[in-house]
Amino acid sequence: MNEELLTVAMPKGRIFDEAVDLLRQAGYPITEEFEDSRKLIIDVPEAGMRFILAKPMDVPTYVEHGVADVGVAGKDVMIEEKRDVYEVLDLKISACYMAVAALPSYRAGGEVAPKIASKYPNLTSEYFRQKGEQVEIIKLNGSIELAPIVGLADRIVDIVSTGQTLKENGLVEIEEMINITSRFIVNPVSYRTKAAMIDPMVDRLDQVINGQGEDRL
Ligand code: PRP
């Protein structure tokens, strides 16, 4: 953990641009080069910050271990990873939802334990356990929509944003599960020791997102 700078773990990929945009709106001077760089650590001393760029699923791991003080992580990742971090603010960006989908011809009931492909094995297993449905989970790392088409799985559990990926691959939604947005997360120790940096950051983000700031989690 850097003593001088606030270390911020950012998710590479889809959420990144929206998260950077939010930080800029909150008044943090993040330059244009930031988006184009292949660097994984970017210091912005003017803002008192160091950014580390991680895979979205790994952001809570960096924050839990304290090598990042704060981070931006999707609610999907928070549920899947169950890391020991504080979730202090709903950033209300990258809104999407988690859904169960299958081929239109799929009819449940034929098999003892239907195969469910997902990037989220823990979330998926908890969801079906609560429903009392026995399933076999097949963990994949991406392109989940491929699984039912090639016969690897009966159903999938995945994120739906525009719905384009399901549509283009001829899949249909069976159940909507949960709404997802990105969250601002904080390491519990940093929350105390770096309060002088973290509190104003949360307040500034809260102002941008909610105006008055009454929606703090
Ligand atoms: C995500 C998700 C879906 C898709 C949904 O995948 O897993 O496949 O986006 O978005 P849409 O509803 O707007 O089409 P991503 O592109 O992040 O890559 P991945 O397949 O490697 O997980």
Side-chain angles (χ1 to χ4, degrees):
M1 201 182 295
N2 188 293
E3 296 305 318
E4 309 294 319
L5 302 173
L6 187 76
T7 303
V8 184
M10 295 284 279
K12 290 203 289 182
R14 280 175 188 246
I15 309 174
F16 186 78
D17 287 350
E18 277 187 83
V20 168
D21 199 44
L22 195 58
L23 288 170
R24 287 201 180 111
Q25 285 182 54
Y28 293 100
I30 296 165
T31 56
E32 289 288 318
E33 300 93 85
F34 201 80
E35 279 97 333
D36 307 327
S37 172
R38 299 283 295 170
K39 280 190 183 168
L40 299 174
I41 300 181
I42 303 173
D43 284 351
V44 185
E46 321 77 272
M49 288 173 172
R50 160 170 292 172
F51 292 90
I52 62 174
L53 277 53
K55 284 279 179 192
M57 198 73 93
D58 295 334
V59 165
T61 308
Y62 287 90
V63 175
E64 180 184 64
H65 287 267
V67 292
D69 300 299
V70 301
V72 174
K75 185 69 184 172
D76 51 334
V77 170
M78 295 300 289
I79 297 170
E80 178 64 22
E81 288 285 308
K82 288 197 175 15
R83 295 284 167 177
D84 187 12
V85 298
Y86 294 155
E87 187 183 314
V88 297
L89 197 60
D90 182 351
L91 298 173
K92 300 185 181 172
I93 55 169
S94 303
C96 55
Y97 59 95
M98 188 78 73
V100 184
L103 286 167
S105 56
Y106 175 71
R107 295 285 172 273
E111 58 295 270
V112 179
K115 295 192 180 87
I116 318 286
S118 184
K119 235 178 351 188
Y120 305 90
N122 298 327
L123 182 154
T124 302
S125 119
E126 180 62 17
Y127 180 76
F128 285 102
R129 199 189 57 73
Q130 279 181 17
K131 282 169 66 90
E133 192 178 344
Q134 196 189 337
V135 296
E136 179 189 338
I137 292 162
I138 299 183
K139 160 80 163 58
L140 294 176
N141 291 300
S143 304
I144 313 300
E145 292 79 1
L146 191 56
I149 303 170
V150 298
L152 179 65
D154 301 298
R155 288 177 255 171
I156 61 168
V157 164
D158 202 12
I159 291 290
V160 181
S161 176
T162 61
Q164 195 68 15
T165 311
L166 287 181
K167 200 170 159 207
E168 287 191 20
N169 292 287
L171 302 178
V172 291
E173 258 178 59
I174 301 175
E175 292 154 51
E176 280 188 26
M177 297 161 67
I178 29 169
N179 289 319
I180 307 288
T181 49
S182 298
R183 309 300 163 111
F184 188 72
I185 62 172
V186 181
N187 172 274
V189 175
S190 301
Y191 198 65
R192 292 196 309 274
T193 58
K194 291 193 174 178
M197 285 189 268
I198 294 171
D199 286 350
M201 187 173 183
V202 173
D203 285 344
R204 283 161 81 166
L205 288 167
D206 201 2
Q207 276 293 329
V208 173
I209 303 155
N210 301 312
Q212 293 310 306
E214 70 274 22
D215 283 3
R216 184 85 67 86
L217 292 174

